[in-house]
Coordinates of all heavy atoms in Angstrom, one line a residue:
M1 N 11.9 32.4 -2.2 CA 10.7 32.7 -1.6 C 10.8 32.7 -0.1 O 10.1 33.5 0.5 CB 9.7 31.6 -2.1 CG 8.3 31.9 -1.7 SD 7.6 33.3 -2.6 CE 5.9 32.9 -2.5
N2 N 11.6 31.8 0.5 CA 11.7 31.8 1.9 C 12.4 33.1 2.4 O 12.1 33.5 3.5 CB 12.6 30.6 2.4 CG 11.9 29.3 2.2 OD1 10.7 29.3 1.9 ND2 12.7 28.2 2.3
Y3 N 13.2 33.7 1.6 CA 13.9 35.0 2.0 C 12.9 36.1 2.1 O 13.2 37.1 2.7 CB 15.0 35.3 1.0 CG 16.1 34.2 1.0 CD1 16.3 33.4 -0.1 CD2 16.9 34.0 2.1 CE1 17.3 32.5 -0.2 CE2 17.9 33.1 2.1 CZ 18.1 32.3 1.0 OH 19.0 31.3 1.0
V4 N 11.8 36.0 1.4 CA 10.8 37.0 1.5 C 9.8 36.7 2.6 O 9.4 37.6 3.4 CB 10.0 37.1 0.1 CG1 8.9 38.1 0.2 CG2 11.0 37.5 -1.0
L5 N 9.4 35.5 2.7 CA 8.3 35.1 3.7 C 8.7 35.2 5.1 O 8.0 35.6 6.0 CB 7.8 33.7 3.4 CG 6.9 33.6 2.1 CD1 6.5 32.2 1.8 CD2 5.7 34.5 2.2
I6 N 10.0 34.8 5.4 CA 10.4 34.8 6.8 C 10.5 36.2 7.4 O 9.9 36.5 8.5 CB 11.7 34.0 7.0 CG1 11.4 32.5 6.7 CG2 12.3 34.2 8.4 CD1 12.6 31.6 6.7
P7 N 11.1 37.2 6.7 CA 11.1 38.5 7.2 C 9.6 39.1 7.3 O 9.3 39.8 8.2 CB 11.9 39.3 6.3 CG 12.8 38.3 5.6 CD 12.0 37.1 5.6
L8 N 8.8 38.7 6.3 CA 7.4 39.2 6.4 C 6.7 38.7 7.6 O 6.0 39.4 8.3 CB 6.7 38.7 5.1 CG 5.2 39.1 5.0 CD1 5.0 40.6 4.9 CD2 4.6 38.4 3.8
I9 N 6.9 37.4 7.9 CA 6.3 36.8 9.1 C 6.8 37.5 10.4 O 6.0 37.9 11.3 CB 6.6 35.3 9.2 CG1 5.9 34.6 8.1 CG2 6.2 34.7 10.6 CD1 6.3 33.1 7.9
V10 N 8.1 37.8 10.4 CA 8.6 38.5 11.6 C 8.0 39.9 11.7 O 7.6 40.3 12.9 CB 10.2 38.6 11.5 CG1 10.8 39.5 12.6 CG2 10.8 37.2 11.6
V11 N 7.9 40.6 10.6 CA 7.3 42.0 10.7 C 5.8 41.9 11.1 O 5.3 42.7 11.9 CB 7.4 42.6 9.3 CG1 6.5 43.9 9.2 CG2 8.9 43.0 9.0
L12 N 5.1 40.9 10.6 CA 3.7 40.8 10.9 C 3.5 40.4 12.4 O 2.6 40.9 13.1 CB 3.0 39.8 10.0 CG 2.8 40.2 8.6 CD1 2.3 39.1 7.7 CD2 1.8 41.4 8.5
V13 N 4.3 39.6 12.9 CA 4.3 39.2 14.3 C 4.6 40.4 15.2 O 3.9 40.7 16.2 CB 5.2 38.0 14.6 CG1 5.4 37.8 16.1 CG2 4.7 36.7 14.0
A14 N 5.6 41.2 14.8 CA 5.9 42.4 15.5 C 4.7 43.4 15.5 O 4.4 44.0 16.6 CB 7.1 43.1 14.9
M15 N 4.1 43.5 14.4 CA 2.9 44.4 14.3 C 1.8 43.9 15.1 O 1.0 44.7 15.7 CB 2.5 44.6 12.8 CG 3.5 45.4 12.0 SD 3.2 45.4 10.3 CE 1.8 46.6 10.2
T16 N 1.6 42.6 15.2 CA 0.6 42.0 16.1 C 0.9 42.3 17.5 O -0.1 42.8 18.3 CB 0.5 40.5 15.9 OG1 0.3 40.2 14.5 CG2 -0.5 39.9 16.8
V17 N 2.1 42.2 18.0 CA 2.4 42.5 19.4 C 2.3 44.0 19.7 O 1.8 44.3 20.7 CB 3.9 42.0 19.7 CG1 4.4 42.4 21.0 CG2 3.9 40.5 19.6
I18 N 2.7 44.8 18.8 CA 2.6 46.3 19.0 C 1.1 46.6 19.1 O 0.7 47.4 20.0 CB 3.2 47.0 17.8 CG1 4.8 46.9 17.9 CG2 2.8 48.5 17.8 CD1 5.5 47.4 16.7
S19 N 0.2 46.1 18.2 CA -1.2 46.4 18.3 C -1.8 45.9 19.7 O -2.6 46.5 20.3 CB -1.9 45.7 17.2 OG -1.5 46.3 15.9
L20 N -1.3 44.7 20.1 CA -1.8 44.2 21.4 C -1.4 45.1 22.5 O -2.2 45.4 23.4 CB -1.3 42.8 21.6 CG -1.6 42.1 22.9 CD1 -3.1 41.9 23.0 CD2 -0.8 40.8 23.0
V21 N -0.2 45.5 22.5 CA 0.3 46.4 23.6 C -0.4 47.7 23.6 O -0.8 48.2 24.7 CB 1.9 46.5 23.5 CG1 2.4 47.6 24.5 CG2 2.6 45.2 23.8
R22 N -0.6 48.3 22.4 CA -1.3 49.6 22.3 C -2.7 49.4 22.8 O -3.3 50.3 23.4 CB -1.3 50.1 20.9 CG 0.1 50.6 20.5 CD 0.1 51.3 19.2 NE -0.7 52.5 19.2 CZ -1.2 53.1 18.1 NH1 -0.9 52.6 16.9 NH2 -1.9 54.2 18.2
G23 N -3.4 48.3 22.5 CA -4.7 48.1 23.0 C -4.8 47.9 24.5 O -5.7 48.4 25.1
I24 N -3.8 47.2 25.0 CA -3.8 47.1 26.5 C -3.5 48.4 27.2 O -4.2 48.7 28.2 CB -2.7 46.0 26.9 CG1 -3.1 44.6 26.5 CG2 -2.4 46.1 28.4 CD1 -2.1 43.6 26.6
I25 N -2.7 49.2 26.6 CA -2.4 50.6 27.2 C -3.7 51.4 27.1 O -4.0 52.1 28.1 CB -1.3 51.3 26.4 CG1 0.1 50.6 26.8 CG2 -1.2 52.7 26.8 CD1 1.2 51.0 25.9
A26 N -4.4 51.3 26.0 CA -5.7 52.1 25.9 C -6.7 51.6 26.9 O -7.4 52.4 27.5 CB -6.2 52.0 24.5
F27 N -6.7 50.3 27.1 CA -7.6 49.7 28.1 C -7.2 50.2 29.5 O -8.1 50.5 30.3 CB -7.5 48.2 28.1 CG -8.4 47.5 29.1 CD1 -9.7 47.4 29.0 CD2 -7.8 46.9 30.2 CE1 -10.5 46.8 30.0 CE2 -8.5 46.3 31.2 CZ -9.9 46.2 31.1
L28 N -6.0 50.3 29.9 CA -5.5 50.7 31.2 C -5.8 52.2 31.4 O -6.0 52.6 32.5 CB -4.1 50.4 31.4 CG -3.7 48.9 31.5 CD1 -2.2 48.7 31.6 CD2 -4.4 48.3 32.7
K29 N -5.8 53.0 30.3 CA -6.1 54.4 30.4 C -7.6 54.7 30.5 O -8.0 55.8 30.8 CB -5.5 55.1 29.2 CG -4.0 55.3 29.2 CD -3.6 56.1 28.0 CE -2.1 56.2 28.1 NZ -1.6 57.0 26.9
T30 N -8.4 53.7 30.3 CA -9.9 53.9 30.5 C -10.2 54.3 31.9 O -9.8 53.5 32.8 CB -10.6 52.6 30.1 OG1 -10.3 52.3 28.7 CG2 -12.1 52.9 30.1
T31 N -10.9 55.3 32.1 CA -11.2 55.8 33.4 C -12.6 55.3 33.9 O -13.3 54.8 33.1 CB -11.2 57.3 33.5 OG1 -12.2 57.8 32.6 CG2 -9.8 57.9 33.1
E32 N -12.8 55.4 35.1 CA -14.1 55.0 35.7 C -15.3 55.9 35.0 O -16.4 55.4 34.8 CB -14.2 55.2 37.2 CG -15.4 54.6 37.8 CD -15.4 54.7 39.3 OE1 -14.3 54.9 39.9 OE2 -16.4 54.6 39.9
A33 N -14.9 57.1 34.7 CA -15.9 58.0 34.0 C -16.3 57.4 32.7 O -17.4 57.5 32.2 CB -15.4 59.4 34.0
D34 N -15.3 56.9 32.0 CA -15.5 56.3 30.6 C -16.5 55.1 30.8 O -17.4 54.9 29.9 CB -14.2 55.9 30.0 CG -13.4 57.0 29.5 OD1 -13.9 58.1 29.3 OD2 -12.2 56.8 29.3
L35 N -16.2 54.3 31.8 CA -17.0 53.1 32.0 C -18.5 53.4 32.4 O -19.4 52.7 32.0 CB -16.4 52.2 33.0 CG -15.0 51.7 32.7 CD1 -14.4 50.9 33.9 CD2 -15.1 50.8 31.5
K36 N -18.7 54.5 33.1 CA -20.0 54.9 33.6 C -20.7 55.9 32.6 O -21.8 56.3 32.9 CB -19.9 55.5 35.0 CG -19.5 54.5 36.0 CD -19.5 55.1 37.4 CE -19.2 54.1 38.5 NZ -19.2 54.6 39.8
S37 N -20.1 56.2 31.5 CA -20.7 57.2 30.6 C -21.9 56.6 30.0 O -22.1 55.4 29.9 CB -19.7 57.6 29.5 OG -19.4 56.5 28.7
D38 N -22.8 57.5 29.5 CA -24.0 57.0 28.9 C -23.8 56.4 27.5 O -23.2 57.1 26.7 CB -25.0 58.3 28.7 CG -26.3 57.9 28.2 OD1 -26.7 56.8 28.3 OD2 -27.0 58.9 27.8
P39 N -24.2 55.2 27.3 CA -23.9 54.5 26.0 C -24.6 55.2 24.8 O -24.2 55.0 23.7 CB -24.5 53.1 26.2 CG -24.7 52.9 27.7 CD -24.8 54.3 28.3
S40 N -25.7 55.9 25.1 CA -26.4 56.6 24.0 C -25.6 57.7 23.4 O -25.9 58.2 22.3 CB -27.8 57.0 24.5 OG -27.6 58.0 25.5
K41 N -24.6 58.2 24.2 CA -23.8 59.3 23.7 C -22.7 58.8 22.7 O -22.0 59.6 22.1 CB -23.1 60.0 24.8 CG -24.1 60.8 25.7 CD -23.3 61.5 26.8 CE -24.3 62.3 27.7 NZ -23.6 62.9 28.8
G42 N -22.6 57.5 22.6 CA -21.6 56.9 21.7 C -20.3 56.5 22.5 O -20.2 56.6 23.7
A43 N -19.4 55.9 21.8 CA -18.2 55.4 22.4 C -17.2 56.5 22.7 O -17.2 57.5 22.0 CB -17.5 54.4 21.5
T44 N -16.4 56.3 23.8 CA -15.4 57.3 24.1 C -14.2 57.1 23.2 O -14.1 56.1 22.5 CB -15.0 57.2 25.6 OG1 -14.4 55.9 25.8 CG2 -16.2 57.3 26.5
D45 N -13.3 58.0 23.3 CA -12.1 57.9 22.4 C -11.3 56.7 22.8 O -10.7 56.0 21.9 CB -11.2 59.2 22.6 CG -11.8 60.4 22.0 OD1 -12.7 60.3 21.1 OD2 -11.5 61.5 22.5
M46 N -11.1 56.4 24.1 CA -10.4 55.2 24.5 C -11.1 53.9 24.0 O -10.4 52.9 23.6 CB -10.2 55.1 26.0 CG -9.1 56.1 26.5 SD -7.5 55.6 25.8 CE -6.9 57.2 25.2
Q47 N -12.4 53.9 24.0 CA -13.1 52.7 23.6 C -12.9 52.5 22.1 O -12.7 51.4 21.6 CB -14.6 52.8 23.9 CG -14.8 52.7 25.4 CD -16.3 53.0 25.8 OE1 -17.0 53.7 25.0 NE2 -16.7 52.6 26.9
I48 N -12.9 53.6 21.3 CA -12.7 53.5 19.9 C -11.3 53.0 19.6 O -11.0 52.2 18.7 CB -13.0 54.9 19.2 CG1 -14.5 55.2 19.3 CG2 -12.5 54.9 17.8 CD1 -14.8 56.6 18.9
L49 N -10.3 53.5 20.4 CA -8.9 53.1 20.2 C -8.7 51.6 20.5 O -8.0 50.9 19.8 CB -8.0 54.0 21.0 CG -6.5 53.7 20.9 CD1 -6.0 53.9 19.5 CD2 -5.7 54.5 21.9
Q50 N -9.4 51.2 21.6 CA -9.3 49.8 21.9 C -9.9 48.9 20.8 O -9.3 47.9 20.4 CB -10.1 49.5 23.2 CG -9.5 50.0 24.5 CD -10.5 49.8 25.6 OE1 -11.3 48.9 25.7 NE2 -10.4 50.7 26.6
N51 N -11.0 49.3 20.3 CA -11.6 48.6 19.2 C -10.7 48.5 17.9 O -10.5 47.5 17.3 CB -13.0 49.2 18.9 CG -13.8 48.3 18.0 OD1 -13.5 47.1 17.8 ND2 -14.8 48.9 17.4
K52 N -10.1 49.7 17.6 CA -9.2 49.8 16.5 C -8.0 48.9 16.6 O -7.6 48.1 15.7 CB -8.8 51.2 16.3 CG -7.9 51.4 15.1 CD -7.5 52.9 15.0 CE -6.5 53.1 13.9 NZ -6.0 54.5 13.8
M53 N -7.4 48.9 17.8 CA -6.2 48.0 18.1 C -6.6 46.6 18.1 O -5.8 45.7 17.6 CB -5.6 48.4 19.4 CG -4.9 49.8 19.4 SD -3.6 49.9 18.2 CE -4.3 51.0 17.0
M54 N -7.7 46.2 18.6 CA -8.2 44.8 18.5 C -8.3 44.3 17.1 O -7.9 43.2 16.7 CB -9.5 44.6 19.3 CG -10.0 43.2 19.3 SD -8.8 42.0 20.1 CE -9.1 42.5 21.8
F55 N -9.0 45.2 16.3 CA -9.1 44.8 14.8 C -7.8 44.7 14.2 O -7.5 43.8 13.4 CB -10.0 45.9 14.1 CG -10.2 45.6 12.7 CD1 -11.1 44.6 12.3 CD2 -9.5 46.2 11.7 CE1 -11.3 44.2 11.0 CE2 -9.7 45.9 10.4 CZ -10.6 44.9 10.0
N56 N -6.8 45.6 14.4 CA -5.5 45.6 13.8 C -4.8 44.3 14.3 O -4.1 43.6 13.5 CB -4.7 46.8 14.2 CG -5.0 48.0 13.5 OD1 -5.7 47.9 12.4 ND2 -4.6 49.2 14.0
R57 N -4.9 43.9 15.6 CA -4.2 42.7 16.0 C -4.8 41.5 15.3 O -4.0 40.6 14.9 CB -4.5 42.5 17.5 CG -3.7 41.3 18.1 CD -4.1 41.0 19.5 NE -5.5 40.7 19.7 CZ -6.0 39.5 19.5 NH1 -5.3 38.5 19.1 NH2 -7.3 39.3 19.7
I58 N -6.1 41.4 15.2 CA -6.7 40.2 14.5 C -6.2 40.2 13.0 O -5.9 39.2 12.4 CB -8.2 40.3 14.6 CG1 -8.6 40.0 16.1 CG2 -8.9 39.3 13.7 CD1 -10.0 40.3 16.4
K59 N -6.2 41.4 12.4 CA -5.8 41.5 11.0 C -4.3 41.0 10.8 O -4.1 40.2 9.9 CB -6.0 42.9 10.5 CG -5.6 43.2 9.1 CD -5.8 44.7 8.7 CE -5.1 45.6 9.6 NZ -5.3 47.0 9.2
Y60 N -3.4 41.6 11.6 CA -2.0 41.2 11.4 C -1.8 39.7 11.8 O -1.0 39.1 11.2 CB -1.1 42.1 12.3 CG -1.2 43.6 11.8 CD1 -1.3 44.6 12.7 CD2 -1.1 43.9 10.5 CE1 -1.3 45.9 12.3 CE2 -1.1 45.2 10.1 CZ -1.2 46.2 11.0 OH -1.3 47.5 10.6
Q61 N -2.5 39.3 12.8 CA -2.3 37.9 13.2 C -2.8 36.9 12.1 O -2.1 35.9 11.8 CB -3.1 37.6 14.5 CG -2.8 36.3 15.2 CD -3.5 36.2 16.5 OE1 -4.2 37.1 16.9 NE2 -3.3 35.2 17.2
G62 N -3.9 37.3 11.5 CA -4.4 36.5 10.3 C -3.4 36.5 9.2 O -3.2 35.4 8.5
M63 N -2.8 37.6 8.9 CA -1.9 37.7 7.8 C -0.6 36.9 8.1 O 0.0 36.3 7.2 CB -1.5 39.2 7.5 CG -2.7 39.9 6.8 SD -2.2 41.5 6.1 CE -1.7 42.4 7.6
A64 N -0.2 36.9 9.4 CA 1.0 36.1 9.8 C 0.7 34.6 9.6 O 1.6 33.9 9.1 CB 1.4 36.5 11.2
V65 N -0.5 34.2 10.0 CA -0.8 32.8 9.9 C -0.9 32.4 8.4 O -0.4 31.3 8.0 CB -2.2 32.5 10.6 CG1 -2.7 31.1 10.2 CG2 -2.0 32.6 12.1
L66 N -1.5 33.3 7.6 CA -1.5 33.0 6.2 C -0.1 32.9 5.6 O 0.2 32.0 4.7 CB -2.3 34.1 5.4 CG -2.5 33.9 3.9 CD1 -3.3 32.6 3.7 CD2 -3.2 35.1 3.4
A67 N 0.8 33.8 6.0 CA 2.2 33.7 5.5 C 2.9 32.4 5.9 O 3.6 31.8 5.2 CB 3.0 34.9 6.0
V68 N 2.6 32.0 7.2 CA 3.2 30.7 7.6 C 2.6 29.5 6.8 O 3.4 28.6 6.4 CB 2.9 30.5 9.1 CG1 3.2 29.1 9.6 CG2 3.7 31.5 10.0
V69 N 1.3 29.6 6.5 CA 0.8 28.5 5.7 C 1.4 28.5 4.3 O 1.7 27.4 3.8 CB -0.8 28.7 5.6 CG1 -1.4 27.8 4.5 CG2 -1.4 28.4 6.9
I70 N 1.6 29.7 3.7 CA 2.2 29.7 2.4 C 3.7 29.2 2.5 O 4.1 28.5 1.6 CB 2.2 31.2 1.8 CG1 0.7 31.5 1.5 CG2 3.0 31.3 0.6 CD1 0.5 33.0 1.2
L71 N 4.4 29.6 3.5 CA 5.8 29.2 3.7 C 5.8 27.6 3.8 O 6.7 27.0 3.2 CB 6.4 29.8 4.9 CG 7.8 29.4 5.3 CD1 8.8 29.9 4.2 CD2 8.2 30.0 6.6
M72 N 4.9 27.1 4.6 CA 4.9 25.6 4.7 C 4.5 24.9 3.4 O 5.1 23.9 3.1 CB 3.9 25.2 5.8 CG 4.3 25.6 7.2 SD 3.1 25.2 8.5 CE 2.9 23.5 8.3
A73 N 3.6 25.5 2.6 CA 3.2 24.9 1.3 C 4.4 25.0 0.3 O 4.6 24.1 -0.4 CB 2.0 25.6 0.8
V74 N 5.1 26.1 0.4 CA 6.2 26.3 -0.6 C 7.4 25.4 -0.2 O 8.1 24.9 -1.1 CB 6.6 27.8 -0.6 CG1 7.9 28.0 -1.4 CG2 5.5 28.6 -1.3
S75 N 7.6 25.2 1.1 CA 8.8 24.4 1.5 C 8.7 22.9 1.3 O 9.7 22.2 1.4 CB 9.1 24.7 2.9 OG 8.1 24.2 3.8
R76 N 7.5 22.4 1.0 CA 7.3 21.0 0.8 C 7.7 20.5 -0.5 O 7.7 21.0 -1.5 CB 5.9 20.6 1.1 CG 5.7 20.7 2.6 CD 4.3 20.2 3.0 NE 4.1 20.4 4.4 CZ 3.5 19.6 5.1 NH1 3.0 18.5 4.7 NH2 3.4 19.8 6.4

């Protein structure tokens, strides 16, 4: 079981970091025009990408924590 969970945790942590970096890049690409745009027109593409990457980061981070909890429960 450890042989499955440890690589899974490594992959999930890597996916968390990748999502975080992609979200930061999308944030940095946000222009002043995006920030001053009319909110009634909806979100800009960069804002949607930032939101998607934040959700992915939270999802992968939660799965990694769950895998660590399972690993700790199995190893006892």
Side-chain angles (χ1 to χ4, degrees):
M1 188 70 155
N2 292 349
Y3 297 113
V4 174
L5 288 175
I6 292 174
L8 177 66
I9 292 168
V10 170
V11 168
L12 289 171
V13 168
M15 292 173 73
T16 301
V17 171
I18 290 169
S19 295
L20 176 65
V21 170
R22 287 186 66 196
I24 291 172
I25 290 170
F27 176 74
L28 292 174
K29 286 184 179 178
T30 302
T31 63
E32 187 176 342
D34 289 338
L35 296 174
K36 292 183 178 181
S37 66
D38 186 19
S40 64
K41 293 182 181 178
T44 63
D45 291 337
M46 283 298 129
Q47 291 169 339
I48 292 171
L49 182 61
Q50 288 175 32
N51 192 17
K52 182 180 174 185
M53 289 300 108
M54 180 63 72
F55 181 75
N56 283 344
R57 183 189 62 82
I58 293 169
K59 177 177 59 176
Y60 295 136
Q61 190 172 4
M63 289 190 299
V65 168
L66 183 64
V68 169
V69 168
I70 293 171
L71 179 65
M72 289 174 62
V74 170
S75 67
R76 289 187 183 217

